[in-house]
Amino acid sequence: MKTDQSHVFNTTRWHNTCLMAESGKGIYVYDSEGKTYLDAIGGTHVISIGHGVTEVADAMAEQARQLCFIHKAQFTSEPQEKLANVVTTMAPEGMDRVGFVTSGSTANEMAFQIALYYHKLRGKASKYKIISRWHSYHGHTIATLAMTGSRFVRESLSPFDLLNFPHIQAPHCYQCPYKLTYPSCELTCANELARIIEQEGADTIAAFVAEPIIGGAGSAIVPPPGYYEKVREICDFYDILWISEEVITGFGRTGKNFGVDHWAAIPDIITATKALSSGYAPIGAVIVHQRVREVFDNATKNIPLSLFTYAGHPISCAAALAVQNYMAKHNLIERCAVMGKYLKHQLEKLAEREPIIGDVRGEGLLIGIEFVKNRDNHQPFSRSLGITEKIMQVGLENGLILRGRFGTGVGVDGDHILISPPFIITESQCDELVEKLELTFKQVKQSLKLVEVC
Ligand code: PMP
């Protein structure tokens, strides 16, 4: 369908034809022309259990028949209570309460407001700023845009002034912003957090927000060992909450329940959405540690947090509950870790054959590929070549759904893609993914006449 024939207002579509997705099964999506696509990004890092799981569809239909909606001001619902039990059981120790919202943006917005109230209720109302990192994306509401580090996104509303929240460098070892090497760097990137707190004044800072493994805006940037242990120490010292932003990494995507489980440190708040309901219904979770929750328990009046009408929607909760039960029944988080190792290894082998690949990184089925002109000094390609966009376009023509380079922060302004298929992917499907990727890279290099450059 031509986009000018569609009445849908969609300004993010990046080509002239509007592909009509008709159905999905497992890791594949089919369009109205009968073309098959291998969804290498699980619908932007959302889909964990695959398309077409009848147990989930049945649970949603049953809930719709039973009770379609109820507001949280007076009521809770059975699927919400059951889901809260499952989520808090999966969460790190001491994180014993969860609030449900509708998306990643609303989850981060709620975490931000919890941080403000937490300090206010303890008589520290001057603490309102959130420190975040360049190379991050936290959503598209006004507060979450202010947290976001991607300049491409931040500057989109200019000249509207976003809240002036401070940002620090991302822990990007492959393109270290300090030109240092781990471990002799002594975690300069984490210590930067203490420096910026001192500079701004600890009495103005409410929280530090960070994706444990940076997703879309950086393509699976994994911080070095010790990074979050250091973050925990710094946050405790300055009385600052640490929000682990797990919109992508939460609920198994990295091969553990939460991305932060790869480090020996427990945050104060976790926000998570995508793999929670595997895309069957919109829902987000804000998981709170008991030390934060206790401050709210002691409050004498009602606090107007998360008044979103659809927060805790019974059908979304029923969908997420069915998804999490399905994940547990089929050991899909363990499977994600195993298949992630296999796929990463195949991509590393591809990197040996393909000189434009500079780095393959990530955990579980969250794998980033960074493209470089020069592997020796990690020099990126000129952005004017639009390598990532070309790879996404040619990949689509080859029946491979890809996504990458969701705008970057300061420092590296290179090309990268993020691979994040559903956890049910098999070894032979991983091989198919890698084959299509290799073909796509070859065709893009030919079309851009890059063959002689690399
Ligand atoms: N944080 C991260 C890391 C994300 O990837 C996204 C969405 N891509 C968001 C926040 C915002 O989530 P939503 O689009 O559901 O509001």
Side-chain angles (χ1 to χ4, degrees), residues 123-334:
K124 296 188 176 185
S126 64
K127 285 166 89 68
Y128 73 96
K129 292 184 207 163
I130 308 286
I131 300 178
S132 57
R133 300 184 302 205
W134 299 116
H135 285 293
S136 64
Y137 177 67
H138 297 301
H140 232 89
T141 60
I142 298 302
T144 57
L145 271 177
M147 297 178 206
T148 289
S150 159
R151 287 206 184 256
F152 164 71
V153 183
R154 286 176 64 75
E155 286 162 11
S156 59
L157 292 187
S158 164
F160 176 80
D161 272 339
L162 293 175
L163 292 159
N164 194 15
F165 287 164
H167 293 72
I168 60 171
Q169 297 287 1
H172 193 356
C173 294
Y174 183 70
Q175 301 277 10
C176 176
Y178 306 99
K179 309 269 176 259
L180 297 172
T181 318
Y182 179 83
S184 59
C185 64
E186 294 181 348
L187 294 173
T188 299
C189 52
N191 287 316
E192 176 70 1
L193 177 59
R195 198 192 61 76
I196 204 105
I197 294 168
E198 291 280 353
Q199 182 185 301
E200 299 281 324
D203 59 336
T204 70
I205 310 292
F208 171 60
V209 63
E211 295 164 75
I213 294 172
I214 300 179
S219 295
I221 295 175
V222 187
Y227 181 86
Y228 288 109
E229 289 82 349
K230 187 64 149 181
V231 162
R232 179 72 272 173
E233 216 178 275
I234 295 169
C235 288
D236 285 344
F237 183 80
Y238 290 103
D239 188 20
I240 283 164
L241 294 182
W242 164 28
I243 304 167
S244 190
E245 206 271 41
E246 308 233 12
V247 167
I248 293 179
T249 54
F251 299 100
R253 168 64 60 199
T254 69
K256 290 189 185 267
N257 289 357
F258 293 92
V260 75
D261 294 339
H262 291 276
W263 288 264
I266 296 180
D268 300 297
I269 300 174
I270 291 179
T271 54
T273 59
K274 302 189 178 210
L276 172 56
S277 70
S278 187
Y280 282 82
I283 183 167
V286 184
I287 313 168
V288 180
H289 196 279
Q290 62 197 28
R291 64 179 159 263
V292 175
R293 184 256 297 169
E294 275 159 13
V295 171
F296 288 80
D297 288 348
N298 295 332
T300 48
K301 58 179 191 318
N302 202 346
I303 294 168
L305 260 177
S306 162
L307 288 176
F308 311 113
T309 300
Y310 293 125
H313 194 287
I315 299 174
S316 295
C317 289
L321 182 63
V323 166
Q324 292 309 312
N325 287 342
Y326 188 88
M327 293 233 284
K329 184 168 143 198
H330 297 278
N331 290 323
L332 289 190
I333 297 185
E334 291 80 353

Side-chain angles (χ1 to χ4, degrees), residues 352-363:
E352 287 166 15
R353 308 190 288 274
E354 181 48 81
I356 65 168
I357 299 180
D359 195 27
V360 175
R361 54 181 177 246
E363 287 289 348

